[in-house]
């Protein structure tokens, strides 16, 4: 990568050298992010990054990798490279020679990407803090589409603020956004009122959607993958002109682009001001989106961080247990199970059975109260991505849960259950009243049941269904036993009843130090990725234990109960930082399960019906 390198040089098809990958790793905090920086503060064709989920994959498109222009007056010919571009570079007196033997047609893949659904606010704030502070607060210059009245510098005046590698250049992160972009506006900079549907899976989502152009290895990615992208930002106005059917500008675009239906053209070529394009230089699939941890926990350099945190795991777990006990109104047993739920993950699949899922049903929650709402607030402060589904008759009948294929627009229309791995889905069943579920409502309940039982969502492609495996942590709050299946039911036994749940939750959150809260967040993310095993000795002891329990009372424990007990023992061990099952943790798991079952039996006797 020599001096004077430019995007045209990259366009030759040169594979980016490993030093550039390393350079991006070292200086990624200096690259402006579309998740944090408003679009109008970014220069066209600048180098940016974007944290996102692949919502849809469009058909591959052809573009002119190499093309030649001819000057109409002098007949001089110039060779251009089309990689990382949407618009052909053509001067006033030049025209593209489509018949040139030097023209080369290449292929690229287009992804439709949205911000990570349900991403917690603390994720945004931590990424922003790291970017703004660690980058020494280098300022982003606004583009020509927006110039604050007190900002008089031109792009040329700002060149010294930009980062250079040879001739390859991108602008740094902002030191301070101008007064026109307040902190509130930063969080809502794309909360636009537009007739164009940005196709976000969850209602109320904000942020940019992007058309992402991938030039290599696109087969490595699939729908619902979470990526961090580095690439060239393209917001050329001619893209919007084309979208408005002003075809006189079409000569500037790649003539290889095929003609689509009007609806497909509208969806696949939205205004660049709403849906910018990113031409990908580097794409990384993310294990997680927690900015408090190394991005890749498998790397050698991450082991120091992991071992350091594991050495102080015990007090972190104790503090987290106390914090969640307060959140659950003094119920420490329910807090134990909530910890196990929050670190659970599907670690393998045996045929169609997902191993490691641990859906918890917290019954005994007050009906039509704000308890679940405020418990969800606590969970939001702990996990990277979450969503609370209010399970009302109206929502079940009218919300779209299942993504479906729109063949007219040739796109995948998103649904509530199009979520990335490790999302926490909190289902509030306490709001469910008597009423009639119509056909869509029944389908939605079935979809939730399939998600919980099989950890899969069947997308609707009209003529067939396509199975998409997932890894979603489902937590259900209900008054009695949930209508939905669950791996574990724990009945809430409050030790206190706050007169005002909102004030109680506010005081609980304000009492915990930010540094302690960050340790909770690291703890819950990190433990999902630890390996786990059971030695032959403990396996034999568990088998003997199972036989002994069956001998005393054959009805006391079934094979399903043993599987549940092993799952509890697994996550109980991991919650203590132990990657193998010990005799002590096995006995503790049996104790927890005994306490849980006894509580359910007592409640059943009190109510006189099945919970």
């Amino acid at each position: 990568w020599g001096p004077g390198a430019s995007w045209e040089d990259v366009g030759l098809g040169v594979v980016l050298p490993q030093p550039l990958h390393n350079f991006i790793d070292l200086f990624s905090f200096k690259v402006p992010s579309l998740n944090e920086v408003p679009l109008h503060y970014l220069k066209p064709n600048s180098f940016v990054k974007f944290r996102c989920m692949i919502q849809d994959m469009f058909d591959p498109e052809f573009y002119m990798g190499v093309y030649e222009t001819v000057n109409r007056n002098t007949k001089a010919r110039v060779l251009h490279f089309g990689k990382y571009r949407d618009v052909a570079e053509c001067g006033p007196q030049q025209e593209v020679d489509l018949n040139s033997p030097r023209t080369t047609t290449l292929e690229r893949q287009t992804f439709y990407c949205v911000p990570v659904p349900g991403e917690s606010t603390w994720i945004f704030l931590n990424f922003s803090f790291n970017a703004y502070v660690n980058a020494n607060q280098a300022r982003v210059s606004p583009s020509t589409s927006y110039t604050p009245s007190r900002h008089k510098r031109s792009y040329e005046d700002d060149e010294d603020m930009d980062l250079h590698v040879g001739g390859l250049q991108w602008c740094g992160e902002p030191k301070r956004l101008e007064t026109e972009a307040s902190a509130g506006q930063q969080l809502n900079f794309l909360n636009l009122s537009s007739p164009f549907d940005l196709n976000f899976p969850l209602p109320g989502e904000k942020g940019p959607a992007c058309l992402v152009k991938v030039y290599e290895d696109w087969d490595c990615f699939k729908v619902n993958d979470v990526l961090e992208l580095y690439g060239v930002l393209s917001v050329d106005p001619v893209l919007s002109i084309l979208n408005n059917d002003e075809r006189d500008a079409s000569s500037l675009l790649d003539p290889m682009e095929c003609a689509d239906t009007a609806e497909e053209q509208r969806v696949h070529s939205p205004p660049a001001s709403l849906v910018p394009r990113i031409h990908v230089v580097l794409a990384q699939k993310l294990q997680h989106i927690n900015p408090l941890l190394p991005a890749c926990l498998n790397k050698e350099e991450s082991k120091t961080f992991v071992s350091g945190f594991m050495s102080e795991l015990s007090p972190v777990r104790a503090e987290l247990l106390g914090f969640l006990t307060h959140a659950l109104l003094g119920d420490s047993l329910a807090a134990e199970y909530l910890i196990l739920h929050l670190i659970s993950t599907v670690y393998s699949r045996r045929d169609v059975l997902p191993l490691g899922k641990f859906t918890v049903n917290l019954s005994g929650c007050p009906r039509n109260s704000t308890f679940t709402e405020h418990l969800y607030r606590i969970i939001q402060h702990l996990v990277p991505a979450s969503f609370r589904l209010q399970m009302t008759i109206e929502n079940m009948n009218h919300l779209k849960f299942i993504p479906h294929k729109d063949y007219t627009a040739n796109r995948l229309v998103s649904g509530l259950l199009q979520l990335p791995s490790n999302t926490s889905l909190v289902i509030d069943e306490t709001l469910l009243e008597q009423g009639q579920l119509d056909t869509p409502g029944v389908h939605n309940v079935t979809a939730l049941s399939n998600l919980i039982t099989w950890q899969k969502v069947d997308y609707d492609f009209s003529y067939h269904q396509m199975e998409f495996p997932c890894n979603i942590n489902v937590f259900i709050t209900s008054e009695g036993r949930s209508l939905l299946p669950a791996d574990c039911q724990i009945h809430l036994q409050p030790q206190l009843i706050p007169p005002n749940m909102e004030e109680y939750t506010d005081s609980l959150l304000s009492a915990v130090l930010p540094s302690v809260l960050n340790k909770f967040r690291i703890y819950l993310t990190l433990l999902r990725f630890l390996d786990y095993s059971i030695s032959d000795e403990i396996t034999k002891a568990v088998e003997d234990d199972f036989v002994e329990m069956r001998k005393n009372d054959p009805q006391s424990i079934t094979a399903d109960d043993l599987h549940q007990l092993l799952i509890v023992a697994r996550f109980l061990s991991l919650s203590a930082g132990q990657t193998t099952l010990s005799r002590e943790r096995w006995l503790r798991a049996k104790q927890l399960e005994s306490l849980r079952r006894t509580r359910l039996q007592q409640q059943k006797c009190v109510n006189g019906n099945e919970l």
Side-chain angles (χ1 to χ4, degrees):
W1 191 265
S6 66
W7 294 121
E8 280 76 6
D9 298 307
V10 181
L12 285 167
V14 175
V15 177
L16 290 173
Q18 191 59 39
L20 183 57
H21 288 252
N22 296 338
F23 187 87
I24 288 176
D25 285 342
L26 288 172
F27 293 96
S28 63
F29 57 81
K30 287 183 175 288
V31 181
S33 169
L34 284 178
N35 301 95
E36 286 96 39
V37 182
L39 187 60
H40 56 263
Y41 279 94
L42 297 172
K43 297 179 181 180
N45 302 316
S46 61
F47 196 73
V48 298
K49 62 182 177 181
F50 184 40
R51 187 176 61 258
C52 58
M53 183 190 81
I54 301 176
Q55 190 277 321
D56 195 6
M57 291 179 164
F58 294 160
D59 295 330
E61 65 181 26
F62 294 104
Y63 72 99
M64 290 190 297
V66 179
Y67 61 96
E68 197 170 33
T69 59
V70 181
N71 188 299
R72 286 192 291 266
N73 296 331
T74 65
K75 305 302 181 184
R77 291 178 170 270
V78 179
L79 198 63
H80 302 267
F81 301 99
K83 197 173 185 180
Y84 305 118
R85 292 181 179 276
D86 283 302
V87 180
E89 185 181 15
C90 191
Q93 301 300 320
Q94 291 179 320
E95 59 183 20
V96 177
D97 182 4
L98 299 178
N99 298 316
S100 170
R102 305 176 76 180
T103 299
T104 303
T105 302
L106 299 175
E107 188 181 40
R108 61 191 177 196
Q109 177 68 56
T110 301
F111 299 158
Y112 186 84
C113 294
V114 298
V116 179
E119 186 177 273
S120 299
T121 303
W122 65 266
I123 295 286
F124 171 87
L125 295 176
N126 273 279
F127 271 118
S128 299
F129 179 81
N130 292 339
Y132 296 158
V133 175
N134 293 345
N136 199 25
Q137 301 180 334
R139 181 177 53 78
V140 166
S141 172
S143 74
T144 52
S145 62
Y146 173 76
T147 306
S149 57
R150 62 185 179 85
H151 188 93
K152 301 299 184 183
R153 290 185 181 182
S154 66
Y155 287 161
E156 289 73 15
D157 296 327
D158 284 328
E159 288 304 310
D160 61 325
M161 303 298 290
D162 294 344
L163 185 63
H164 292 260
V165 186
L168 193 156
Q169 160 191 337
W170 59 82
C171 47
E173 292 284 2
K175 176 169 64 178
R176 51 175 169 72
L177 298 179
E178 272 48 290
T179 53
E180 290 84 352
S182 65
Q185 287 172 317
Q186 292 173 40
L187 290 172
N188 300 285
F189 65 85
L190 266 175
N191 185 17
L192 302 175
S193 175
S194 167
F196 184 80
D197 176 16
L198 294 178
N199 208 18
F200 293 147
L202 299 179
E205 291 282 280
K206 302 176 180 67
C210 290
L211 284 177
V212 173
K213 314 284 187 175
V214 183
Y215 291 85
E216 57 186 25
D217 297 332
W218 55 73
D219 292 337
C220 300
F221 306 113
K222 60 184 184 298
V223 169
N224 301 336
D225 278 350
V226 175
L227 310 177
E228 185 162 57
L229 307 171
Y230 295 83
V232 183
L233 176 67
S234 175
V235 288
D236 200 296
V238 75
L239 299 171
S240 302
I241 294 172
L242 180 63
N243 185 67
N244 292 328
D245 293 329
E246 293 186 33
R247 299 305 180 187
D248 57 327
S250 62
S251 60
L252 298 176
L253 295 178
D254 190 337
M256 300 293 181
E257 186 171 343
C258 63
D260 301 317
T261 65
E263 180 63 14
E264 184 174 352
Q265 181 70 29
R266 187 186 72 85
V267 168
H268 288 238
S269 300
S273 57
L274 279 179
V275 183
R277 280 62 164 165
I278 297 179
H279 294 266
V280 174
V281 175
L282 178 65
Q284 298 175 329
K285 191 183 298 187
L286 296 180
Q287 275 187 306
H288 62 85
I289 59 169
N290 189 335
L292 303 172
L293 280 79
C296 184
L297 296 169
N298 300 327
K299 288 186 177 180
E300 193 66 32
E301 53 267 29
S302 301
K303 292 182 178 179
T304 303
F305 173 88
V306 173
S307 60
F309 186 81
M310 294 297 286
S311 66
E312 58 180 56
L313 201 69
S314 182
V316 174
R317 188 194 193 281
E319 286 186 274
L320 177 59
L321 180 61
F323 178 70
L324 292 178
T325 298
H326 285 297
L328 291 163
L329 309 180
D331 190 340
S332 59
L333 182 62
E336 286 275 9
Y337 276 90
L338 182 54
I339 289 178
L340 303 188
H341 164 76
L342 291 174
I343 66 171
S344 66
T345 186
V346 176
Y347 62 88
S348 181
R349 292 181 186 266
R350 185 172 297 158
D351 296 326
V352 296
L353 182 66
L355 303 180
K357 73 182 183 70
F358 193 58
T359 297
V360 170
N361 171 209
L362 181 67
S363 58
C365 299
R367 188 176 184 81
N368 289 323
S369 75
T370 60
F371 170 75
T372 301
E373 176 187 347
H374 294 294
L375 177 60
Y376 174 64
R377 280 181 59 201
I378 298 291
I379 293 174
Q380 272 188 307
H381 278 78
L382 298 175
V383 300
S386 61
F387 179 67
R388 173 181 168 233
L389 172 61
Q390 301 178 56
M391 196 172 175
T392 64
I393 292 292
E394 182 180 4
N395 282 345
M396 298 306 292
N397 284 338
H398 294 101
L399 291 178
K400 302 293 186 184
F401 281 37
I402 302 296
H404 69 276
K405 180 73 171 183
D406 179 350
Y407 286 95
T408 302
N410 193 21
R411 71 164 176 173
L412 181 66
V413 179
S414 63
L416 283 179
L417 298 185
Q418 188 177 6
L419 301 171
S421 291
N422 300 321
T423 302
S424 288
L425 177 61
V426 177
I427 301 176
D428 188 354
E429 204 176 293
T430 65
L431 302 175
L432 192 61
E433 300 283 357
Q434 287 188 346
Q436 182 69 40
L437 283 177
D438 56 22
T439 301
V442 172
H443 288 164
N444 285 338
V445 171
T446 302
L448 283 176
S449 298
N450 287 337
L451 167 65
I452 293 168
T453 305
W454 308 112
Q455 284 293 311
K456 70 182 181 73
V457 180
D458 295 322
Y459 290 17
D460 181 8
F461 281 75
S462 295
Y463 310 108
H464 67 282
Q465 290 185 328
M466 186 174 293
E467 184 179 299
F468 282 75
C470 57
N471 186 5
I472 309 299
N473 285 36
V474 183
F475 185 77
I476 309 166
T477 60
S478 59
E479 184 182 28
R481 182 171 184 165
S482 173
L483 301 175
L484 298 168
D487 299 303
C488 171
Q489 181 192 355
I490 175 77
H491 196 80
L492 182 67
Q493 284 190 351
Q495 304 301 306
L496 62 133
I497 305 296
N500 188 309
M501 272 301 300
E502 183 173 4
E503 291 180 1
Y504 179 79
T505 305
D506 287 342
S507 63
L508 180 60
L509 288 170
S510 60
V512 62
L513 293 172
S515 59
V516 174
L517 201 55
N518 280 342
K519 288 182 179 180
F520 295 165
R521 293 160 175 167
I522 295 171
Y523 174 92
L524 293 175
T525 300
L526 178 61
L527 295 189
R528 289 172 174 266
F529 297 99
L530 295 183
D531 293 326
Y532 175 84
S533 61
I534 303 179
S535 66
D536 293 340
E537 179 186 353
I538 294 297
T539 300
K540 181 67 167 59
V542 169
E543 290 174 352
D544 293 344
D545 218 356
F546 177 65
V547 171
E548 191 65 30
M549 286 186 286
R550 292 276 296 173
K551 184 187 300 182
N552 296 333
D553 182 4
Q555 303 301 319
S556 64
I557 185 168
T558 65
D560 288 340
D561 294 332
L562 177 62
H563 175 74
Q564 162 105 351
L565 199 51
L566 287 169
I567 290 292
V568 171
R570 176 191 182 92
F571 294 121
L572 189 63
S573 299
L574 290 175
S575 74
Q578 298 178 2
T579 56
T580 59
L581 180 60
S582 64
R583 182 70 181 169
E584 177 191 0
R585 291 297 159 191
W586 172 248
L587 294 176
R588 176 59 176 160
K590 288 173 61 178
Q591 181 188 26
L592 286 178
E593 280 293 273
S594 177
L595 290 171
R596 183 184 68 83
R597 291 174 181 275
T598 300
R599 182 183 290 189
L600 286 176
Q601 190 62 37
Q602 290 172 345
Q603 195 64 32
K604 179 179 178 181
C605 294
V606 169
N607 290 352
N609 56 21
E610 184 178 354
L611 284 172

